[in-house]
Amino acid sequence: MRTLRVLELYSGIGGMHCALTESCLPFEVILAIDINTTANKAYRHAFPATKLSECGIETLTEKQLDEWKIDMIVMSPPCQPFTRVGKKLDTEDLRTKSFLHLLSLLPRLTNCPSYILVENVKGFESSQTRDRLIETLHTCRFNLQECLLTPLQFGIPNSRLRYYLIAKRAPLKFCFKTTEKILDTIPSCASRWLSYKLRKRHGSSTVSGSAETTLTTDTKKSAGITPSSTVATDTADTSANTSGGNDVPITTISSNELLSQNCSNISGEGDKKGHLVVPEMLSSNSCLPGRDESENTDKYRALLKYGHNMRQLETDVRKLSEECVNLEHFLEQREPDYFNAYNLTDKELRRFIVMDIVHPCLTKTICFTKRYGHFMEGAGSIVQMTTDVEAVKRASEFKDSAMELQNRDEWGTEEISIIRALQLRYFTPREISNLLCFPQNYSFPEDLSRIQAYRLLGNSLNVHVVSVLLRMLVEGDT
Ligand SMILES: C[S@@+](CC[C@H](N)C(=O)[O-])C[C@H]1O[C@@H](n2cnc3c(N)ncnc32)[C@H](O)[C@@H]1O
């Protein structure tokens, strides 16, 4: 396949660019465009070789788009006009203007792109802006599919339900039967890209019960897994290895190496891997079995029991999260002091009742929004570092009684000390990047503040989910 010329609109920190890389499609981002200077600083840092423009998308012209000879447009237009908590001004919102302008240009192009991918929040699907998008795409003879998907469906312990549209221009056709309905599952043709792997450790393999759950026989076959694989392995190979212990060094293979190995497979004998490879990062309070003695099993059972009481779990996603990788694989492995800066202050601990508290052995976090670090309720999960069952039990009972008394924050020092014993901290930007499946070599500029990083990540997307959609979009045209 020839190299796709991609225009990345509303590029933010480059989530789409990362997804293109993960998809292993041959591509070149010929131009990225965003008006946010902080986002652009992060984008330039991550992709110094990519041309980036700070112009408003509403200033683009038909002539420019034609001259650029674009094959694909990927974009996440501003979502505020469609969010559940916003005013839902939709087409009347000034922030939709640039997107509507782009839609007005498409039918007038001589060189209309062949592929389009749009990402937005849940809510977009019932907007007038969406209706205009569909109308325009039909006028331009696009075949299309809309989806509502969350990373939880991909084995990733993070809830982020998003609207996606993939469209390709006739005579190009999808490799699956499209429907006017909004899909909330992945067509079977994409199932081979869904599984993830844990990275192999030197001389030994990684053990994870939950990893097994998303590896179907088919995906194992298509991945061509062998016990001697140098990249990753699955739990089927690892049963003899539960006593591997902490002292086994984690492999230092870089995500680029992993990617190139995955990519090189893509062109060979139909073995299209593209698995998400989760770096194995075990925290000191790891919940993997076999780490210690059998008493750990009871301990973690107890931690889970009380831990679930401190969650804000939506019932509709509970089942999905059972299939996900343990959260601990997404956490940074650092000296305890490193996390001091992320500890919650006593003032923040007072928001205990509305927090979504997660222990590393759980399999779901709530969506991290751009308000993370500012707001507690619904803005993202909080990590509980303690593994002291008594401390967790006390906090769980305290939560129950506070709810019963309808006392949300009128607490004295004793109550605060119960909550403090949970050792609660924020996720680090790196950990949120891991949950969003940004590659390990993705980094922010050093002078970006933590709050700025949270804001940018909250606006971004799940790289793995988009990479699967990109493959679904282009599959069959190679
Ligand atoms: C939802 S975020 C996209 C995030 C991006 N996909 C990422 O991975 O970070 C929307 C982005 O659109 C940008 N934006 C909003 N209005 C714009 C306009 N008129 N022209 C260019 N960029 C705009 C914002 O600065 C923001 O970064």
Side-chain angles (χ1 to χ4, degrees):
M1 189 186 196
R2 70 182 173 81
T3 301
L4 296 166
R5 292 172 60 78
V6 181
L7 177 64
E8 187 180 9
L9 297 179
Y10 311 97
S11 48
I13 59 172
M16 291 284 185
H17 197 141
C18 292
L20 282 156
T21 307
E22 194 190 310
S23 75
C24 299
L25 295 169
F27 77 94
E28 182 197 354
V29 175
I30 56 132
L31 182 66
I33 305 181
D34 200 294
I35 43 166
N36 183 307
T37 46
T38 317
N40 286 344
K41 195 167 150 184
Y43 192 99
R44 263 189 212 104
H45 178 80
F47 306 103
T50 303
K51 204 170 152 202
L52 174 67
S53 164
E54 216 152 277
C55 76
I57 285 158
E58 59 282 3
T59 66
L60 291 180
T61 64
E62 187 182 326
K63 185 163 172 278
Q64 281 174 316
L65 290 174
D66 266 334
E67 279 173 3
W68 290 333
K69 296 196 168 61
I70 303 148
D71 295 304
M72 180 187 283
I73 301 180
V74 289
M75 53 183 156
S76 312
C79 54
Q80 297 90 339
F82 318 104
T83 45
R84 201 166 32 96
V85 284
K87 290 186 187 155
K88 287 199 168 180
L89 288 181
D90 199 345
T91 50
E92 298 304 310
D93 193 309
L94 278 181
R95 290 166 291 197
T96 315
K97 201 175 145 212
S98 61
F99 185 62
L100 295 176
H101 170 70
L102 180 77
L103 294 185
S104 73
L105 295 181
L106 282 182
R108 310 210 301 259
L109 296 183
T110 310
N111 297 321
C112 189
S114 299
Y115 304 101
I116 290 180
L117 187 150
V118 182
E119 184 251 15
N120 215 284
V121 287
K122 175 166 165 46
F124 183 82
E125 74 281 6
S126 51
S127 68
Q128 285 177 23
T129 306
R130 175 263 179 197
D131 295 347
R132 294 252 200 114
L133 167 64
I134 304 293
E135 234 174 73
T136 307
L137 293 176
H138 283 152
T139 308
C140 299
R141 296 189 304 117
F142 275 88
N143 295 312
L144 60 95
Q145 182 61 59
E146 297 169 281
C147 315
L148 275 170
L149 299 170
T150 168
L152 295 170
Q153 289 161 284
F154 295 70
I156 303 156
N158 182 228
S159 175
R160 196 176 183 88
L161 186 60
R162 288 293 180 269
Y163 168 91
Y164 299 96
L165 175 138
I166 47 178
K168 65 202 294 186
R169 206 149 68 88
L172 296 175
K173 284 197 179 113
F174 281 102
C175 61
F176 58 94
K177 200 171 171 340
T178 54
T179 162
E180 282 187 10
K181 281 199 216 131
I182 300 184
L183 289 183
D184 59 4
T185 54
I186 295 286
S188 57
C189 73
S191 64
R192 64 183 180 279
W193 303 313
L194 297 186
S195 66
Y196 58 82
K197 297 281 187 299
L198 295 182
R199 255 193 240 184
K200 190 184 177 184
R201 292 196 266 164
H202 283 309
S204 156
S205 307
T206 304
V207 179
S208 167
S210 56
E212 176 67 16
T213 60
T214 61
L215 284 169
T216 63
T217 315
D218 276 358
T219 54
K220 278 179 197 164
K221 268 193 210 143
S222 71
I225 294 163
T226 64
S228 60
S229 161
T230 54
V231 179
T233 186
D234 70 79
T235 53
D237 311 322
T238 61
S239 50
N241 196 39
T242 51
S243 58
N246 268 331
D247 52 350
V248 184
I250 292 171
T251 180
T252 52
I253 194 166
S254 73
S255 53
N256 271 349
E257 284 172 284
L258 288 167
L259 205 54
S260 62
Q261 291 190 40
N262 276 348
C263 287
S264 61
N265 275 321
I266 218 169
S267 51
E269 286 121 68
D271 180 10
K272 301 195 174 186
K273 280 194 176 179
H275 303 291
L276 168 65
V277 182
V278 182
E280 192 201 15
M281 291 182 282
L282 304 178
S283 48
S284 53
N285 49 359
S286 172
C287 37
L288 293 181
R291 177 60 38 86
D292 238 328
E293 60 290 357
S294 60
E295 81 176 39
N296 261 356
T297 317
D298 294 339
K299 180 174 175 181
Y300 284 111
R301 220 171 268 147
L303 280 173
L304 283 181
K305 179 177 150 204
Y306 299 121
H308 279 304
N309 197 27
M310 286 184 282
R311 309 262 4 233
Q312 315 282 321
L313 267 186
E314 312 98 281
T315 45
D316 55 331
V317 297
R318 188 172 291 163
K319 186 85 196 81
L320 289 175
S321 71
E322 284 167 12
E323 304 282 309
C324 293
V325 186
N326 283 349
L327 184 59
E328 69 172 327
H329 295 291
F330 296 78
L331 301 182
E332 288 197 83
Q333 196 186 28
R334 299 274 199 151
E335 291 301 319
D337 282 358
Y338 169 82
F339 296 107
N340 286 347
Y342 297 91
N343 288 342
L344 265 59
T345 62
D346 280 1
K347 188 172 167 213
E348 289 166 327
L349 293 179
R350 288 189 178 277
R351 306 288 291 142
F352 174 61
I353 296 292
V354 298
M355 288 178 201
D356 181 63
I357 298 172
V358 292
H359 184 261
C361 53
L362 295 181
T363 49
K364 185 190 162 242
T365 49
I366 61 169
C367 183
F368 291 93
T369 73
K370 62 180 179 190
R371 294 158 17 129
Y372 194 61
H374 279 305
F375 290 86
M376 202 55 86
E377 195 165 2
S381 301
I382 297 292
V383 193
Q384 168 205 314
M385 296 300 280
T386 187
T387 56
D388 177 350
V389 176
E390 273 312 304
V392 185
K393 184 170 176 239
R394 262 199 311 275
S396 166
E397 286 168 356
F398 170 64
K399 180 172 178 181
D400 285 344
S401 70
M403 297 290 275
E404 209 174 297
L405 296 170
Q406 299 194 352
N407 175 8
R408 294 170 72 88
D409 54 7
E410 295 294 306
W411 305 324
T413 48
E414 198 181 320
E415 286 96 335
I416 290 293
S417 72
I418 294 174
I419 307 166
R420 201 185 295 122
L422 291 174
Q423 299 170 14
L424 300 179
R425 68 163 176 86
Y426 286 104
F427 278 74
T428 69
R430 178 65 253 171
E431 290 168 338
I432 298 175
S433 309
N434 290 343
L435 285 163
L436 294 179
C437 303
F438 276 72
Q440 286 302 293
N441 59 1
Y442 187 95
S443 65
F444 285 114
E446 266 178 18
D447 59 347
L448 205 76
S449 74
R450 177 155 62 112
I451 289 293
Q452 283 175 321
Y454 285 149
R455 192 171 303 138
L456 295 175
L457 285 164
N459 260 338
S460 192
L461 47 81
N462 188 288
V463 169
H464 183 62
V465 175
V466 176
S467 81
V468 172
L469 288 163
L470 283 166
R471 281 162 173 255
M472 282 167 56
L473 177 57
V474 175
E475 176 78 350
D477 306 334
T478 50

